[in-house]
Amino acid sequence: MAVSERIGNGSDAAAELRAAAHRLDAGDALRPVRDRFTLPGDVVYLDGNSLGALPKAVPDRLAHVVAHEWGALGICSWTESGWWEAPERVGELIAPLVGAAPGQVVVGDSTSVNLFKALVAAVRLAGDGRDEVLVDSSAFPTDGYLAEAAVRLTGHRLVPVLPAEVPGRLGPRTAAVLLNHVDYRTGRLHDLPGLTAAVHEAGAYAVWDLCHSAGALPVGLDAHGVDLAVGCTYKYLNGGPGAPAFLYVRAAHQAAFDSPLPGWNSHAEPFGMRSAYTRAEGVTAARVGTPDILSLLALEAALGVWEGVDLAAVRAKSLALTDFFLECVDRYVPPGRLESVTPAAHEERGSQLALRTPLAAALMPRLIARGVVGDFRPPDLLRFGFTPLYVGFADAERAARVLAEELGAVGSTAG
Ligand SMILES: *Cc1c(COP(=O)(O)O)cnc(C)c1O
């Protein structure tokens, strides 16, 4: 059966699904939060897992920072405008979103740099006698590169493992384990509580990369005993292109946190300009150099969208949205054309879906041309991120319908 025929005779299906989308949007308690964002006109934006949309408060705040804090106050803003302590202050805004009590999150540098700091610090916490570092081999590539550089510095041995293999590979030699909470390709959510507990049982330290979970679902860093964690702020936290990343150092580990990059911002008395290094107390010890103030303050303004937002509601909507999108795809697309590589089970699903088709590379530009913005990951994946703060059910229905139409068109020209 041709796709057009299926959609055609499924104009019933389309009417039904559109009505369902309308009902779901009308009952969505998070719907008003969408108005806190500037979204591209007439576009279904499903790429918030790569670059979050622009919160409306950011442009005016940035304009004020540039004109007033930088332009008028100049260097006085380091104290008068609170620039110096912005890394810790913005960290406190992220802390509740990842389940951390105050004093454990600092913002600055990229995720890549923070991964390096966290991993080296973790193996130093583990001390002598443990010579292995387990690293998620399905992780985002930068994690693997930095892990390799970290063990080259510390003299440990790198053991690439899939998250499911971690419990079987842990042992008395394991110093630390680096894992991704949600797989950036497949959208699979890994068992952070269970894996962290297994790592601890082996006497090792758990480092989690939260790039695809922070702002998308409850993380519970304190509750699950995570040792160190890092994450992006430009994905589900909407901080803007290149917004600085965050680093979580569990309070219990802060006294012994030994950074491989102890720049002057991590000094106990940075303006003492001493030649001898004395580590600052608390999570400040994880800072390096001068913070990128413009990006950091854009992020601070962006985090205002979370006011009054309950993460449990975000998670519930994320699952409802991805379920509904899959249902629409199932109704609109003939069987066998697309395969979802994202687990169907809710407890194994992040906030994105990845659909596999050999036509993926040709398809995504056509979807974008028709106002459905997702992305393509080689060799054959279409990724669609569902940010519950600004994506609605009508968006999901439209995206699935356009996907089915373009799949039909590409499929027939491809033969
Ligand atoms: C996006 C992403 C990164 C990106 O790191 P940067 O240093 O910010 O470029 C790292 N790890 C994961 C898992 C990611 O998804």
Side-chain angles (χ1 to χ4, degrees):
M1 181 169 56
V3 179
S4 52
E5 191 187 321
R6 192 180 163 95
I7 295 172
N9 94 20
S11 60
D12 287 350
E16 208 181 292
L17 291 169
R18 276 186 224 183
H22 187 74
R23 267 195 317 276
L24 289 161
D25 278 329
D28 171 17
L30 288 175
R31 187 74 183 170
V33 179
R34 182 185 177 101
D35 296 332
R36 299 177 186 177
F37 291 87
T38 298
L39 295 168
D42 198 34
V43 160
V44 178
Y45 190 70
L46 302 180
D47 221 352
N49 52 339
S50 207
L51 178 65
L54 171 68
K56 278 183 184 159
V58 171
D60 284 352
R61 174 67 183 136
L62 261 190
H64 176 83
V65 169
V66 171
H68 179 72
E69 298 186 6
W70 180 10
L73 298 178
I75 199 162
C76 297
S77 273
W78 283 106
T79 49
E80 285 180 32
S81 302
W83 285 359
W84 185 262
E85 54 278 11
E88 290 83 3
R89 186 177 70 242
V90 180
E92 297 303 12
L93 299 177
I94 293 174
L97 299 174
V98 292
Q104 301 176 103
V105 178
V106 69
V107 178
D109 309 313
S110 62
T111 299
S112 299
V113 171
N114 283 316
L115 273 164
F116 182 72
K117 289 187 251 178
L119 204 52
V120 172
V123 302
R124 287 177 176 169
L125 284 169
D128 296 337
R130 291 178 175 262
D131 63 348
E132 286 184 352
V133 174
L134 309 190
V135 175
D136 182 349
S137 56
S138 64
F140 189 93
T142 203
D143 297 50
Y145 307 154
L146 269 312
E148 216 173 290
V151 299
R152 199 138 39 88
L153 180 76
T154 60
H156 287 65
R157 199 169 73 86
L158 198 64
V159 184
V161 286
L162 289 170
E165 301 165 348
V166 165
R169 290 301 308 264
L170 288 164
R173 295 179 64 174
T174 316
V177 182
L178 169 62
L179 290 158
N180 281 191
H181 195 190
V182 174
D183 186 299
Y184 78 102
R185 284 169 178 276
T186 64
R188 176 183 289 273
L189 172 65
H190 294 298
D191 176 13
L192 180 145
L195 288 168
T196 303
V199 169
H200 288 165
E201 208 153 302
Y205 289 78
V207 181
W208 284 92
D209 180 332
L210 309 177
C211 282
H212 284 269
S213 59
L217 49 100
V219 177
L221 291 178
D222 285 352
H224 303 306
V226 169
D227 298 295
L228 295 134
V230 302
C232 289
T233 63
Y234 51 80
K235 293 172 181 167
Y236 294 96
L237 294 175
N238 315 299
F246 66 88
L247 173 57
Y248 164 89
V249 182
R250 190 170 191 78
H253 300 325
Q254 289 176 1
F257 178 84
D258 186 3
S259 172
L261 298 171
W264 74 293
N265 276 226
S266 74
H267 197 283
E269 207 193 329
F271 291 96
M273 301 293 168
R274 300 180 194 289
S275 51
Y277 180 76
T278 312
R279 187 174 53 204
E281 283 186 13
V283 78
T284 299
R287 286 176 62 165
V288 182
T290 306
D292 33 11
I293 291 297
L294 298 182
S295 292
L296 189 54
L297 299 187
L299 168 63
E300 183 174 33
L303 289 167
V305 299
W306 293 94
E307 198 183 324
V309 172
D310 172 20
L311 267 177
V314 169
R315 176 61 171 159
K317 182 176 171 188
S318 159
L319 292 171
L321 269 175
T322 47
D323 276 345
F324 183 66
F325 179 76
L326 287 173
E327 183 192 340
C328 293
V329 168
D330 197 48
R331 297 279 295 276
Y332 289 145
V333 177
R337 299 297 307 277
L338 290 172
E339 176 204 357
S340 172
V341 301
T342 308
H346 282 177
E347 61 276 15
E348 292 179 8
R349 190 191 299 168
S351 203
Q352 78 172 46
L353 294 170
L355 303 179
R356 175 174 283 149
T357 160
L359 301 173
L363 211 47
M364 188 47 77
R366 298 178 66 120
L367 295 183
I368 292 172
R370 291 199 53 198
V372 175
V373 180
D375 58 29
F376 163 67
R377 285 293 176 268
D380 55 4
L381 290 183
L382 299 167
R383 286 197 325 169
F384 300 102
F386 290 84
T387 305
L389 298 192
Y390 53 76
V391 175
F393 294 88
D395 295 325
E397 186 277 333
R398 177 176 154 197
R401 187 160 29 86
V402 170
L403 172 60
E405 288 167 7
E406 291 303 317
L407 190 59
V410 173
S412 57
T413 54

